[in-house]
Amino acid sequence: MDVNLNLNPNLLQNEEKFNNDFFKRFQLRHAEKPLQLDEKVEKNYQFPTFYADASCAIAIFHCDYAAAKAMMPDPSMVPVKMMKGRSLVIFSCYEYRHVMNVAPYNEIAMTIPVVSDGAMNIPILTMLRGDKSKHFGYYVFHMPVTSLENRLRGRKIWGLPKEVEHINITKNDQKTKIEAAIDGQAPYLTLSIPTQGQAQSFDVKSNLLSVLKSQRLKSTTQFKGTFNINKNMKTLFQTSSTNNGLSLQLGDGPIADRLRALKIEQEAFQYRHTDTMNACFDLPHEIRNC
Protein backbone atom coordinates (compact mmCIF):
# COMPACT_ATOMS: atom_id res chain seq x y z
CA MET A 1 0.00 0.00 0.00
CA ASP A 2 1.26 3.47 -0.89
CA VAL A 3 1.68 5.92 1.95
CA ASN A 4 -1.13 8.32 2.80
CA LEU A 5 0.22 11.69 3.91
CA ASN A 6 -3.17 13.39 3.94
CA LEU A 7 -4.48 14.81 7.21
CA ASN A 8 -8.22 15.13 6.68
CA PRO A 9 -9.64 17.62 9.20
CA ASN A 10 -12.86 15.58 9.44
CA LEU A 11 -13.44 12.22 11.09
CA LEU A 12 -14.36 9.46 8.62
CA GLN A 13 -18.05 8.61 9.07
CA ASN A 14 -18.01 4.80 9.01
CA GLU A 15 -19.74 3.75 12.25
CA GLU A 16 -21.98 1.31 10.36
CA LYS A 17 -18.97 -0.99 9.84
CA PHE A 18 -18.82 -1.85 13.57
CA ASN A 19 -22.09 -3.66 14.31
CA ASN A 20 -20.50 -7.03 15.09
CA ASP A 21 -21.18 -8.43 18.59
CA PHE A 22 -17.47 -8.10 19.37
CA PHE A 23 -17.75 -4.31 19.34
CA LYS A 24 -20.86 -4.30 21.51
CA ARG A 25 -18.67 -5.34 24.46
CA PHE A 26 -17.12 -1.89 24.64
CA GLN A 27 -18.40 1.53 25.66
CA LEU A 28 -17.02 4.15 23.32
CA ARG A 29 -15.75 7.35 24.90
CA HIS A 30 -13.59 10.34 24.06
CA ALA A 31 -10.20 11.16 25.51
CA GLU A 32 -9.92 14.01 28.02
CA LYS A 33 -9.25 16.40 25.16
CA PRO A 34 -9.06 16.24 21.34
CA LEU A 35 -5.76 15.26 19.74
CA GLN A 36 -3.79 18.01 18.00
CA LEU A 37 -2.31 16.25 14.97
CA ASP A 38 -0.55 19.33 13.59
CA GLU A 39 -0.90 23.11 13.75
CA LYS A 40 -4.19 23.04 11.83
CA VAL A 41 -5.84 19.65 12.40
CA GLU A 42 -7.43 18.62 15.70
CA LYS A 43 -9.60 15.49 16.07
CA ASN A 44 -11.80 14.18 18.85
CA TYR A 45 -11.44 10.42 18.38
CA GLN A 46 -13.48 7.76 20.16
CA PHE A 47 -11.81 4.99 22.16
CA PRO A 48 -11.14 2.17 22.09
CA THR A 49 -10.22 2.36 18.42
CA PHE A 50 -12.21 -0.29 16.51
CA TYR A 51 -10.84 -2.38 13.61
CA ALA A 52 -13.34 -4.43 11.56
CA ASP A 53 -12.64 -7.14 8.98
CA ALA A 54 -8.87 -6.81 9.29
CA SER A 55 -6.47 -9.35 7.86
CA CYS A 56 -3.56 -10.44 10.04
CA ALA A 57 -0.42 -12.46 9.29
CA ILE A 58 1.95 -13.26 12.15
CA ALA A 59 5.44 -14.80 12.24
CA ILE A 60 7.12 -15.68 15.54
CA PHE A 61 10.87 -16.35 15.69
CA HIS A 62 13.42 -17.11 18.37
CA CYS A 63 16.09 -14.47 18.89
CA ASP A 64 19.00 -13.81 21.23
CA TYR A 65 17.87 -12.99 24.79
CA ALA A 66 20.72 -10.60 25.59
CA ALA A 67 20.16 -8.68 22.35
CA ALA A 68 16.43 -8.43 23.05
CA LYS A 69 17.09 -7.23 26.59
CA ALA A 70 19.40 -4.51 25.27
CA MET A 71 16.43 -3.09 23.34
CA MET A 72 14.27 -2.60 26.42
CA PRO A 73 13.58 1.10 27.12
CA ASP A 74 13.05 0.64 30.86
CA PRO A 75 14.64 -1.78 33.38
CA SER A 76 11.19 -2.74 34.69
CA MET A 77 10.69 -4.73 31.47
CA VAL A 78 12.61 -7.85 30.43
CA PRO A 79 12.05 -10.19 27.46
CA VAL A 80 10.38 -13.52 28.10
CA LYS A 81 12.89 -16.33 28.42
CA MET A 82 12.96 -19.32 26.10
CA MET A 83 15.40 -22.23 26.02
CA LYS A 84 19.07 -21.94 25.06
CA GLY A 85 19.51 -18.27 25.99
CA ARG A 86 16.82 -17.04 23.65
CA SER A 87 13.71 -14.89 23.61
CA LEU A 88 11.08 -14.24 20.92
CA VAL A 89 10.43 -11.58 18.31
CA ILE A 90 7.01 -11.30 16.67
CA PHE A 91 6.03 -9.68 13.38
CA SER A 92 2.28 -8.95 13.21
CA CYS A 93 1.20 -7.63 9.81
CA TYR A 94 -2.22 -6.02 9.39
CA GLU A 95 -4.47 -4.78 6.64
CA TYR A 96 -6.83 -2.48 8.50
CA ARG A 97 -9.74 -2.31 6.05
CA HIS A 98 -12.13 -0.47 8.37
CA VAL A 99 -10.96 1.69 11.29
CA MET A 100 -13.40 3.70 13.39
CA ASN A 101 -13.41 7.29 12.01
CA VAL A 102 -10.03 6.73 10.30
CA ALA A 103 -8.99 5.89 6.71
CA PRO A 104 -7.70 2.34 6.01
CA TYR A 105 -3.99 1.59 6.35
CA ASN A 106 -1.43 -1.21 6.64
CA GLU A 107 0.78 -1.79 9.67
CA ILE A 108 3.52 -4.09 10.96
CA ALA A 109 3.94 -4.38 14.73
CA MET A 110 7.43 -5.63 15.57
CA THR A 111 7.26 -6.74 19.18
CA ILE A 112 9.12 -8.62 21.88
CA PRO A 113 6.99 -10.38 24.53
CA VAL A 114 8.00 -9.14 27.98
CA VAL A 115 7.35 -9.49 31.68
CA SER A 116 7.41 -6.45 33.94
CA ASP A 117 7.91 -5.36 37.52
CA GLY A 118 9.98 -8.31 38.68
CA ALA A 119 7.45 -11.00 37.78
CA MET A 120 8.64 -14.60 37.45
CA ASN A 121 10.27 -15.35 34.11
CA ILE A 122 10.53 -19.10 33.62
CA PRO A 123 11.72 -20.35 30.20
CA ILE A 124 8.78 -21.34 27.96
CA LEU A 125 6.29 -21.37 30.87
CA THR A 126 6.07 -17.58 31.03
CA MET A 127 5.13 -17.45 27.35
CA LEU A 128 2.62 -20.27 27.72
CA ARG A 129 0.89 -18.51 30.62
CA GLY A 130 1.06 -15.28 28.66
CA ASP A 131 -2.02 -13.12 28.95
CA LYS A 132 -3.14 -14.81 32.19
CA SER A 133 -0.60 -12.59 33.99
CA LYS A 134 -1.07 -8.84 34.43
CA HIS A 135 2.73 -8.52 34.21
CA PHE A 136 2.91 -10.03 30.72
CA GLY A 137 2.72 -7.94 27.58
CA TYR A 138 4.33 -6.96 24.29
CA TYR A 139 6.89 -4.21 23.82
CA VAL A 140 6.76 -2.57 20.38
CA PHE A 141 10.24 -1.62 19.15
CA HIS A 142 9.29 -0.62 15.59
CA MET A 143 5.91 -0.08 13.94
CA PRO A 144 5.78 0.95 10.28
CA VAL A 145 2.42 2.25 9.04
CA THR A 146 1.25 3.56 5.69
CA SER A 147 -0.62 6.54 7.17
CA LEU A 148 0.73 9.83 8.49
CA GLU A 149 -2.39 10.28 10.62
CA ASN A 150 -1.73 6.99 12.38
CA ARG A 151 1.95 7.77 12.85
CA LEU A 152 0.93 10.93 14.68
CA ARG A 153 -1.83 9.20 16.67
CA GLY A 154 0.47 6.40 17.74
CA ARG A 155 3.31 8.64 18.83
CA LYS A 156 1.27 11.35 20.55
CA ILE A 157 -1.16 9.08 22.45
CA TRP A 158 0.92 5.98 23.24
CA GLY A 159 4.54 6.79 22.39
CA LEU A 160 4.54 3.97 19.85
CA PRO A 161 7.56 4.08 17.48
CA LYS A 162 5.48 4.45 14.32
CA GLU A 163 7.09 5.51 11.04
CA VAL A 164 5.46 6.10 7.67
CA GLU A 165 6.73 3.43 5.28
CA HIS A 166 5.59 1.47 2.24
CA ILE A 167 4.03 -1.86 3.26
CA ASN A 168 3.10 -4.13 0.37
CA ILE A 169 0.97 -7.22 1.15
CA THR A 170 0.24 -9.80 -1.56
CA LYS A 171 -1.55 -13.13 -1.15
CA ASN A 172 -2.27 -16.39 -2.90
CA ASP A 173 -3.83 -19.66 -1.71
CA GLN A 174 -0.63 -20.72 0.06
CA LYS A 175 1.33 -17.66 1.18
CA THR A 176 1.09 -14.04 2.22
CA LYS A 177 4.11 -11.94 1.29
CA ILE A 178 4.81 -8.75 3.23
CA GLU A 179 7.42 -6.20 2.21
CA ALA A 180 8.40 -3.08 4.15
CA ALA A 181 10.44 -0.35 2.47
CA ILE A 182 11.37 3.30 2.99
CA ASP A 183 11.08 6.03 0.34
CA GLY A 184 11.01 3.74 -2.68
CA GLN A 185 14.13 1.81 -1.66
CA ALA A 186 14.44 -1.95 -1.84
CA PRO A 187 12.59 -3.73 0.99
CA TYR A 188 14.52 -3.91 4.24
CA LEU A 189 12.11 -6.63 5.45
CA THR A 190 10.39 -9.42 3.51
CA LEU A 191 8.19 -11.99 5.23
CA SER A 192 6.52 -15.04 3.71
CA ILE A 193 3.75 -16.46 5.91
CA PRO A 194 1.57 -19.51 5.13
CA THR A 195 -2.14 -18.82 4.76
CA GLN A 196 -3.10 -22.48 5.36
CA GLY A 197 -2.83 -24.43 8.61
CA GLN A 198 -4.71 -25.83 11.60
CA ALA A 199 -7.72 -23.62 12.35
CA GLN A 200 -7.82 -22.20 15.87
CA SER A 201 -10.20 -19.59 17.28
CA PHE A 202 -8.85 -16.76 19.42
CA ASP A 203 -10.59 -14.27 21.68
CA VAL A 204 -7.67 -12.59 23.38
CA LYS A 205 -6.99 -9.59 25.59
CA SER A 206 -3.36 -8.48 25.95
CA ASN A 207 -1.20 -5.62 27.20
CA LEU A 208 0.92 -3.46 24.92
CA LEU A 209 3.79 -1.63 26.62
CA SER A 210 5.31 1.60 25.38
CA VAL A 211 7.17 4.65 26.66
CA LEU A 212 6.00 8.26 26.28
CA LYS A 213 7.83 11.23 27.82
CA SER A 214 9.75 9.11 30.36
CA GLN A 215 6.60 7.27 31.41
CA ARG A 216 5.87 3.61 30.81
CA LEU A 217 2.38 3.05 29.48
CA LYS A 218 0.34 -0.13 29.51
CA SER A 219 -2.60 -0.32 27.09
CA THR A 220 -5.14 -3.01 26.32
CA THR A 221 -5.49 -4.59 22.90
CA GLN A 222 -8.16 -7.20 22.11
CA PHE A 223 -9.00 -9.27 19.05
CA LYS A 224 -11.29 -12.09 17.98
CA GLY A 225 -10.89 -14.30 14.93
CA THR A 226 -10.07 -17.75 13.58
CA PHE A 227 -6.47 -18.19 12.49
CA ASN A 228 -4.73 -20.91 10.48
CA ILE A 229 -1.77 -22.00 12.64
CA ASN A 230 1.56 -23.65 11.77
CA LYS A 231 3.80 -24.67 14.68
CA ASN A 232 7.41 -25.79 14.59
CA MET A 233 7.83 -27.22 18.07
CA LYS A 234 11.35 -28.54 17.50
CA THR A 235 12.61 -24.94 17.51
CA LEU A 236 11.92 -24.85 21.26
CA PHE A 237 14.96 -27.07 21.80
CA GLN A 238 16.95 -26.74 18.56
CA THR A 239 18.58 -23.57 17.31
CA SER A 240 18.93 -22.66 13.65
CA SER A 241 21.06 -20.33 11.57
CA THR A 242 20.56 -16.58 11.87
CA ASN A 243 21.04 -16.07 8.12
CA ASN A 244 18.18 -15.06 5.83
CA GLY A 245 15.71 -17.89 5.34
CA LEU A 246 12.73 -18.70 3.17
CA SER A 247 10.26 -16.88 5.43
CA LEU A 248 12.36 -13.92 6.66
CA GLN A 249 14.76 -11.85 4.61
CA LEU A 250 16.52 -8.71 5.81
CA GLY A 251 17.85 -6.16 3.35
CA ASP A 252 19.88 -3.02 3.90
CA GLY A 253 19.45 0.01 6.12
CA PRO A 254 19.34 0.92 9.82
CA ILE A 255 16.13 -0.96 10.60
CA ALA A 256 17.41 -4.13 8.94
CA ASP A 257 20.65 -3.75 10.91
CA ARG A 258 18.65 -3.39 14.13
CA LEU A 259 16.70 -6.54 13.33
CA ARG A 260 19.88 -8.38 12.39
CA ALA A 261 21.37 -7.47 15.77
CA LEU A 262 18.61 -9.53 17.43
CA LYS A 263 20.12 -12.67 15.83
CA ILE A 264 16.71 -13.83 14.61
CA GLU A 265 16.77 -17.51 13.76
CA GLN A 266 16.01 -18.77 10.28
CA GLU A 267 13.31 -21.26 11.25
CA ALA A 268 10.08 -19.74 12.56
CA PHE A 269 8.57 -21.02 15.79
CA GLN A 270 5.01 -20.30 14.67
CA TYR A 271 2.93 -18.74 11.90
CA ARG A 272 -0.64 -17.46 12.17
CA HIS A 273 -2.92 -16.13 9.45
CA THR A 274 -6.49 -14.92 9.17
CA ASP A 275 -8.18 -13.03 6.37
CA THR A 276 -10.69 -11.44 8.72
CA MET A 277 -10.81 -10.55 12.39
CA ASN A 278 -12.18 -7.81 14.64
CA ALA A 279 -10.02 -5.93 17.11
CA CYS A 280 -9.72 -2.83 19.29
CA PHE A 281 -6.99 -0.84 21.01
CA ASP A 282 -7.64 1.37 24.03
CA LEU A 283 -6.08 4.32 25.76
CA PRO A 284 -3.40 3.56 28.38
CA HIS A 285 -4.83 2.15 31.62
CA GLU A 286 -1.57 2.23 33.58
CA ILE A 287 1.09 4.94 33.65
CA ARG A 288 4.28 4.80 35.71
CA ASN A 289 7.53 6.74 35.67
CA CYS A 290 10.51 5.08 34.06
Side-chain angles (χ1 to χ4, degrees), residues 21-47:
D21 285 345
F22 172 82
F23 300 110
K24 295 177 182 178
R25 303 177 185 179
F26 309 99
Q27 183 67 47
L28 287 169
R29 68 199 190 282
H30 295 283
E32 292 183 359
K33 60 181 180 179
L35 180 66
Q36 195 75 41
L37 291 171
D38 66 6
E39 293 180 356
K40 297 180 179 179
V41 179
E42 178 185 88
K43 290 191 173 183
N44 195 16
Y45 298 104
Q46 298 183 88
F47 296 95

Side-chain angles (χ1 to χ4, degrees), residues 47 72 145 149 178 187 191 204-205 216 247 255 277 283:
F47 296 95
M72 297 294 104
V145 295
E149 179 175 359
I178 302 99
L191 289 163
V204 175
K205 178 178 179 181
R216 193 194 76 188
S247 59
I255 304 173
M277 72 171 191
L283 294 168

Side-chain angles (χ1 to χ4, degrees), residues 245-256:
L246 295 176
S247 59
L248 171 65
Q249 296 183 5
L250 299 177
D252 298 321
I255 304 173

